[in-house]
Amino acid sequence: MTQQLPDPSGKYGPYGGRYVPETLMPALDDLIEAYEELREDASFRAEFEHLLQTYVGRPTPLTCARRLSEHLGGAQIYLKREDLAHTGAHKINNALGQALLAKRMGKRRVIAETGAGQHGVATATACALLGLQCVVYMGTIDMARQQPNVERMRLLGAEVRGVDSGTKTLKDAVNEAIRDWVTNVHDTYYIIGSALGPHPYPLICREFQSVIGREARAQMLAQAGRLPDEIIACVGGGSNAIGIFYAFLDDPVRLVGVEAGGYGIDTGKHAARLAIDDSRLTIEGAAIDNRQSTIVNARIGVFQGMRTMVLQNEDGQIAETHSVSAGLDYAGVGPEHVYLRDLKRVEYTAATDDAALEAFHTLCRLEGIIPALESSHAIAEAIRRAPALPRDSILLVNLSGRGDKDLNTVMKAGLKVEHGHCS
Ligand SMILES: *Cc1c(COP(=O)(O)O)cnc(C)c1O
């Protein structure tokens, strides 16, 4: 089953590939060539591994969530603690790997684009460490929403360029980053933050993130004496999920990806691109009553350099997605996930905002861990599934990041709930 590499054109079955302006093809060719050389290069691998250990804080621990498991009364739940990686999430694995690649390719300048700011912070961090110039494009609406991350990037020495065109959010920032790359490709490396974009980016990101699954596999064997029965991870672009799944693709382990169910699939206000046409999907606790239903469909399309599943409205326009967690709020998804779904190797489901918020509070109180809202979607799925599973079964959840960044969102949601009770 293990697919070491996609075919030479970067296809995962019918998905992936390279759909970029002609002017960028040579840059992607250079990147493929450099990457193919460096992935076999012992000194590159040694440098990356050394930084993962001495800077990122790897291996991250595997924690048995005893009180949560007791509380649910079913499967034992283990957490892979990417929240304990430097900068508070798994994103640093990929940002650091690509920054190292940029440096080895002789590029002095790095660009990135960011929505919530998490990938921007990880990239600014890696560039500060390696002495690379860093420019991060960000929609001005996102800059206002994510002010602390803008400050972090600036403290780390990055230049944050506000993007005022279009919807002033992530997809406009992506367009600006591409424009910059076309102009400055001779000395500039573009770091993409998830397992998406044109080939070879999904492959590169997966390989840098697959350290999560390799560690977790060895830790499960050492701590529990066996592999887990199921692994659950949230899916935004898909990097933390493919990162933990990849080492287990050939094992008899059920793999489950959890997308953002937002206000509920029926409302059209969500970011479920893979779970949406799954007839078994039932979203519990969806607040569909007073919000207008919109028809949003996931269709195969070409989006941001790749062929993948994209959320579109009735006119075929890219749909506006919604999630309480910015990191899952994206219309496209990494192409390898669509392929793994078609192969029925990975199942995809969705958790609503409400379910994720509840899971957030549960993990805080029962385990003393404040999870990212993205990761809370994976916890929500574990909470839903664990009670029905035997006590000797094991569920492994990828805790992709910590929730300090989400406190404002959680406080506001909490107030809304209280207000609801009073009126
Ligand atoms: C960005 C982010 C995600 C979503 O991105 P993936 O590429 O799907 O992993 C999930 N969790 C956290 C904590 C994030 O910061």
Side-chain angles (χ1 to χ4, degrees):
M1 153 86 233
T2 305
Q3 191 201 21
Q4 264 303 314
L5 295 170
D7 79 15
S9 63
K11 289 280 181 97
Y12 301 85
Y15 312 108
R18 299 197 274 172
Y19 298 86
V20 296
E22 208 48 51
T23 43
L24 283 180
M25 283 306 235
L28 291 175
D29 286 336
D30 284 355
L31 181 54
I32 290 167
E33 196 185 321
Y35 181 66
E36 276 175 1
E37 204 180 300
L38 285 169
R39 71 193 291 274
E40 308 292 341
D41 181 308
S43 80
F44 178 79
R45 296 171 75 112
E47 188 177 3
F48 184 48
E49 263 152 45
H50 179 73
L51 287 175
L52 288 179
Q53 278 175 31
T54 60
Y55 185 74
V56 174
R58 305 207 71 90
T60 58
L62 179 74
T63 301
C64 179
R66 278 179 221 290
R67 292 193 67 221
L68 177 64
S69 306
E70 255 333 287
H71 172 74
L72 297 170
Q76 290 175 66
I77 298 174
Y78 281 77
L79 306 171
K80 179 59 175 163
R81 301 291 306 279
E82 292 303 293
D83 60 314
L84 294 178
H86 181 45
T87 69
H90 67 291
K91 284 199 174 70
I92 189 72
N93 304 324
N94 171 60
L96 188 57
Q98 289 201 46
L100 214 49
L101 195 54
K103 195 162 179 174
R104 289 288 186 114
M105 288 175 75
K107 311 274 182 183
R108 289 202 211 122
R109 181 171 179 271
V110 161
I111 57 169
E113 92 304 294
T114 194
Q118 295 302 110
H119 172 56
V121 169
T123 301
T125 300
C127 289
L129 178 71
L130 299 177
L132 296 162
Q133 188 194 337
C134 180
V135 175
V136 180
Y137 289 93
M138 192 169 185
T140 47
I141 288 186
D142 288 335
M143 285 177 74
R145 283 197 288 219
Q146 311 288 343
Q147 191 57 30
N149 275 342
V150 174
E151 294 310 327
R152 281 186 192 103
M153 287 183 265
R154 288 182 173 146
L155 287 170
L156 292 161
E159 179 194 341
V160 182
R161 289 195 189 160
V163 177
D164 224 357
S165 55
T167 56
K168 308 175 197 222
T169 57
L170 181 60
K171 70 177 161 36
D172 313 288
V174 171
N175 291 339
E176 277 313 305
I178 291 173
R179 201 161 301 154
D180 181 317
W181 203 32
V182 171
T183 316
N184 300 301
V185 69
H186 56 283
D187 74 341
T188 297
Y189 184 102
Y190 178 16
I191 300 188
I192 295 182
S194 187
L196 34 83
H199 177 63
Y201 281 105
L203 169 68
I204 291 176
C205 181
R206 178 192 82 197
E207 295 211 328
F208 288 139
Q209 292 293 5
S210 63
V211 65
I212 303 172
R214 282 197 304 277
E215 286 176 6
R217 198 173 184 286
Q219 288 167 322
M220 284 299 326
L221 292 173
Q223 289 175 227
R226 67 177 183 89
L227 297 181
D229 298 285
E230 299 187 15
I231 303 177
I232 302 175
C234 65
V235 182
S239 70
N240 86 89
I242 200 71
I244 195 163
F245 292 163
Y246 196 65
F248 295 90
L249 283 182
D250 290 331
D251 296 317
V253 175
R254 185 171 180 180
L255 305 174
V256 182
V258 186
E259 299 180 292
Y263 294 142
I265 302 294
D266 298 343
T267 66
K269 307 249 184 277
H270 60 82
R273 300 123 318 173
L274 297 169
I276 195 168
D277 60 2
D278 185 340
S279 53
R280 290 175 298 106
L281 182 74
T282 52
I283 296 281
E284 282 153 38
I288 54 171
D289 37 329
N290 54 0
R291 294 181 178 104
Q292 229 190 344
S293 176
T294 317
I295 297 172
V296 172
N297 264 317
R299 296 194 195 88
I300 296 170
V302 169
F303 182 57
Q304 299 189 335
M306 61 188 159
R307 188 178 177 79
T308 189
M309 207 58 105
V310 189
L311 281 177
Q312 301 172 29
N313 65 21
E314 286 169 292
D315 309 326
Q317 304 281 11
I318 305 301
E320 254 187 57
T321 52
H322 164 80
S323 172
V324 70
S325 73
L328 303 186
D329 198 354
Y330 184 66
V333 64
E336 194 166 12
H337 283 287
V338 195
Y339 185 56
L340 289 169
R341 184 191 71 165
D342 285 4
L343 293 177
K344 300 199 185 324
R345 180 62 192 95
V346 182
E347 294 161 50
Y348 295 86
T349 182
T352 59
D353 289 357
D354 289 349
L357 284 162
E358 201 175 317
F360 174 98
H361 288 294
T362 302
L363 199 72
C364 288
R365 284 192 304 259
L366 292 180
E367 295 294 340
I369 297 170
I370 301 177
L373 279 173
E374 291 83 359
S375 323
S376 300
H377 287 69
I379 308 282
E381 177 65 13
I383 289 174
R384 197 174 72 82
R385 295 185 55 75
L389 296 171
R391 278 179 170 265
D392 61 355
S393 62
I394 298 179
L395 262 178
L396 168 60
V397 178
N398 198 16
L399 197 72
S400 55
R402 62 175 177 237
D404 307 42
K405 68 184 178 58
D406 295 318
L407 293 189
N408 268 338
T409 310
V410 171
M411 300 336 263
K412 270 191 212 143
L415 288 177
K416 240 187 271 165
V417 170
E418 263 160 34
H419 182 70
H421 282 305
C422 293
S423 57

